Amino acid sequence: MTDALRDHFSAMARNSAWSNHRLLSACLELTDEEFARERTSFFPSIQMTLNHNLIVDHIYMADMIGKGRRNIGLEGDIPFPKAVDLKRAQDEFDRSLIEFCDGLSASDLDRIISITWRTDETSQEPIRLVLSHLFVHQIHHRGQAHAMLAGTRVPPPQLDEFFLNYDIPRRLGEPFTD
C-alpha cells in the first residue's frame, strides 16, 4: 500500500505540474495588464490567484521539509506580478515537488509535522494528509483561475487529460508527463 500511495502522490505532483504548465502557458498570451485585471472570483485577479497557489505550495513544502513557513523567501501577496516570472517560479517549484514525492518512504508518509496557522494555532499533521490538502488546494484555485481566463480573449486550456491511457495522445510531448 505504501508504494501505491507514494506513486499516487508522485502522479498527483506530475499532474499538478502539467496543469500549472498548461494554465500558465495560456496566461502568457495575456498582457501584463490583462493578467492583473480585476475579475470576479475568490481572489480578485488571475495574477493574485496563481501567486497565492505558489505561495501556499512553498508554505506546505517548507512545513514538510522542516524549513519553516516563515522562511519561504517570497514577499507580499504577489511576488511574481508577470505571468512569465510566475510560470518560471511555478515550474521550478513543481520540479521540486515531484522530486519530493518520488523520494517519499512509508515512514515519510506517516511522519507527523507541526503546522502553525495564521491564527498562531498549531496542529500536528501526517505528511500524507498535508500533501492531499496541497493538491486539493491547487486544484481549487486553478479552477478559479481557469474560470477567470474564460472571461478573456484567451481560451482556457484543457486540464483533465492526464491520468487515463485514453489521455496519453492528448498530452504527448508536454512537460511533466513522463
Side-chain angles (χ1 to χ4, degrees), residues 21-32:
H21 167 77
R22 274 197 165 186
L23 184 58
L24 282 161
S25 291
C27 289
L28 293 177
E29 297 180 39
L30 299 170
T31 65
D32 292 341

Side-chain angles (χ1 to χ4, degrees), residues 6 11 22 63 70 78 116 136 146 154 166:
R6 185 210 49 236
R22 274 197 165 186
D63 288 339
R70 287 181 170 67
I78 305 175
T116 302
V136 167
H146 191 269
V154 177
Y166 177 80

Side-chain angles (χ1 to χ4, degrees), residues 9-101:
F9 286 131
S10 290
M12 289 297 293
R14 283 175 175 75
N15 171 256
S16 178
W18 173 81
S19 297
N20 287 332
H21 167 77
R22 274 197 165 186
L23 184 58
L24 282 161
S25 291
C27 289
L28 293 177
E29 297 180 39
L30 299 170
T31 65
D32 292 341
E33 178 194 56
E34 290 170 318
F35 184 59
R37 183 171 294 142
E38 189 169 320
R39 301 175 192 282
T40 301
S41 193
F42 187 82
F43 288 99
S45 68
I46 298 169
Q47 175 197 60
M48 187 174 272
T49 301
L50 295 178
N51 269 273
H52 168 77
N53 241 11
L54 180 60
I55 291 166
V56 172
D57 285 349
H58 277 277
I59 287 170
Y60 285 122
M61 181 64 85
D63 288 339
M64 290 186 292
I65 65 173
K67 180 178 175 180
R69 58 179 52 206
R70 287 181 170 67
N71 299 312
I72 63 170
L74 299 176
E75 300 285 330
D77 291 334
I78 305 175
F80 302 100
K82 295 182 178 201
V84 66
D85 298 326
L86 179 59
K87 183 176 184 321
R88 189 176 305 114
Q90 185 69 63
D91 284 350
E92 182 180 324
F93 175 84
D94 289 338
R95 281 189 290 279
S96 70
L97 181 59
I98 290 168
E99 184 178 320
F100 177 80
C101 289

Side-chain angles (χ1 to χ4, degrees), residues 72-149:
I72 63 170
L74 299 176
E75 300 285 330
D77 291 334
I78 305 175
F80 302 100
K82 295 182 178 201
V84 66
D85 298 326
L86 179 59
K87 183 176 184 321
R88 189 176 305 114
Q90 185 69 63
D91 284 350
E92 182 180 324
F93 175 84
D94 289 338
R95 281 189 290 279
S96 70
L97 181 59
I98 290 168
E99 184 178 320
F100 177 80
C101 289
D102 286 352
L104 289 169
S105 67
S107 59
D108 291 330
L109 290 168
D110 290 331
R111 185 165 43 91
I112 303 297
I113 61 171
S114 181
I115 297 178
T116 302
W117 303 97
R118 288 182 297 253
T119 59
D120 286 330
E121 292 177 76
T122 301
S123 66
Q124 307 303 306
E125 309 288 348
I127 284 181
R128 63 185 156 69
L129 294 183
V130 174
L131 278 171
S132 296
H133 177 75
L134 181 147
F135 292 125
V136 167
H137 178 266
Q138 291 174 341
I139 291 165
H140 170 71
H141 288 300
R142 262 195 313 265
Q144 293 169 340
H146 191 269
M148 286 187 278
L149 188 60

Side-chain angles (χ1 to χ4, degrees), residues 165-177:
N165 291 330
Y166 177 80
D167 298 332
I168 292 170
R170 290 165 180 72
R171 59 180 169 78
L172 276 177
E174 293 191 31
F176 305 111
T177 59

